[in-house]
C-alpha cells in the first residue's frame, strides 16, 4: 500500500471520557484483548500512514501505561472535556511543521472501520487542497482526509463535539466521497449496549 510518500499523517482522536459509558474512556476499552486505542492506531499504520499522531485526554497516563503506542506521536489535549473539536484542533496543531500535506482523521470508537477502508481514503489524497471522506451507501462518515490548506479554517470552526463537521458542510462540493460500505461498518461505541454488541 502507498503512504502517499509520507505526505498524509494518521490523526487518531482518542481523548474522550466515555460520558455515556459511565466515565470509561473509550481509548481503554478492550478489543480483542488490547486497548481500543492500540487497535485504532494499528489500523492507520496498516493502511499506510507512516506518521501517526494520537490525541489523548481522559486518563492519558493510564492509556500511556496500558497501550502499546510505540512509534506514534502522543498529543495531550488538556481541554478534552470541551469535546471532539478541541482534540481535532490539538491534533492539527501537532502536525504543523512536520511537512505532511494531509491528515487522515479517525475516531477511536469505530473498530468496524479497518485498514482496507482507511487505505482507500488515503489513496484519495492529491494535494494540500484535498478534502475526502469515507461514505457508506452515499452518506458521508468517518474517517475523513483533510488537506493542509483547510486546517486553519477547520480549527477556527471546530468547537464542542462538532469536529470538522461545520467546515465540511460549507465545503461539501469540494469533498471527494470514497465508498466503503462494502468493507467497513461505521458504528460508534457510545453506550453499554454498543459494548456488548461490538467489542469482543
Amino acid at each position: 500500500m502507498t503512504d502517499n510518500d509520507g505526505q498524509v499523517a494518521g490523526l487518531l482522536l482518542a481523548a474522550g471520557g466515555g460520558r455515556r459509558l459511565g466515565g470509561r474512556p473509550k481509548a481503554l476499552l478492550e478489543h480483542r484483548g488490547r486497548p481500543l486505542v492500540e487497535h485504532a492506531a494499528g489500523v492507520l499504520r496498516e493502511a499506510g500512514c507512516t506518521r501517526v499522531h494520537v490525541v489523548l485526554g481522559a486518563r492519558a497516563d493510564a492509556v500511556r501505561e496500558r497501550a502499546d503506542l510505540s512509534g506514534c506521536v502522543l498529543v495531550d489535549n488538556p481541554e478534552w472535556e470541551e469535546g471532539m473539536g478541541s482534540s481535532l484542533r490539538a491534533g492539527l496543531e501537532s502536525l504543523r511543521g512536520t511537512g505532511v500535506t494531509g491528515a487522515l482523521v479517525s475516531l477511536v470508537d469505530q473498530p468496524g472501520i479497518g485498514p482496507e477502508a482507511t487505505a482507500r481514503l488515503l489513496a484519495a489524497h492529491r494535494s494540500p487542497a484535498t478534502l475526502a471522506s469515507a461514505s457508506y451507501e452515499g452518506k458521508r462518515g468517518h474517517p475523513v482526509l483533510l488537506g493542509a490548506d483547510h486546517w486553519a479554517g477547520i480549527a477556527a470552526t471546530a468547537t464542542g463535539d462538532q469536529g470538522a463537521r461545520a467546515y465540511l458542510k460549507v465545503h461539501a462540493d469540494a469533498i471527494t466521497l470514497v465508498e466503503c460500505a462494502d468493507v467497513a461498518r461505521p458504528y460508534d461505541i457510545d453506550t453499554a449496549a454498543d459494548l456488548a454488541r461490538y467489542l469482543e
Side-chain angles (χ1 to χ4, degrees):
M1 291 180 189
T2 177
D3 67 353
N4 273 289
D5 299 316
Q7 293 174 358
V8 179
L11 179 54
L12 175 61
L13 305 185
R19 210 168 34 241
R20 285 180 284 177
L21 288 166
R24 297 170 66 188
K26 293 179 180 181
L28 289 171
L29 297 175
E30 287 216 349
H31 182 55
R32 298 175 182 164
R34 299 299 305 163
L36 197 51
V37 65
E38 186 179 313
H39 166 78
V43 166
L44 286 167
R45 285 201 177 288
E46 197 175 333
C49 294
T50 52
R51 173 183 284 272
V52 176
H53 287 214
V54 181
V55 181
L56 302 179
R59 299 190 60 199
D61 289 345
V63 175
R64 281 182 159 86
E65 187 178 304
R66 296 185 200 174
D68 179 4
L69 297 171
S70 52
C72 297
V73 175
L74 304 185
V75 180
D76 282 307
N77 174 19
E79 300 172 345
W80 64 268
E81 290 181 270
E82 291 181 11
M84 189 198 306
S86 66
S87 290
L88 181 57
R89 291 196 307 270
L92 292 176
E93 178 63 28
S94 76
L95 291 172
R96 284 179 55 176
T98 62
V100 301
T101 58
L104 200 163
V105 182
S106 68
L107 308 180
V108 74
D109 66 342
Q110 294 190 315
I113 300 173
E116 191 170 354
T118 307
R120 279 189 192 176
L121 190 61
L122 185 63
H125 181 258
R126 296 290 178 268
S127 76
T130 297
L131 281 178
S133 170
S135 66
Y136 301 90
E137 296 177 351
K139 184 178 179 184
R140 184 166 59 77
H142 285 93
V144 293
L145 198 158
L146 309 173
D149 287 355
H150 303 280
W151 293 355
I154 290 166
T157 57
T159 57
D161 277 322
Q162 288 295 305
R165 189 181 309 161
Y167 187 90
L168 293 177
K169 187 174 181 181
V170 172
H171 296 83
D173 291 347
I175 300 171
T176 299
L177 294 180
V178 180
E179 183 57 48
C180 293
D182 58 319
V183 294
R185 293 186 299 150
Y187 56 79
D188 301 326
I189 307 294
D190 283 327
T191 65
D194 295 336
L195 283 178
R197 189 179 306 128
Y198 297 127
L199 290 188
E200 300 165 15

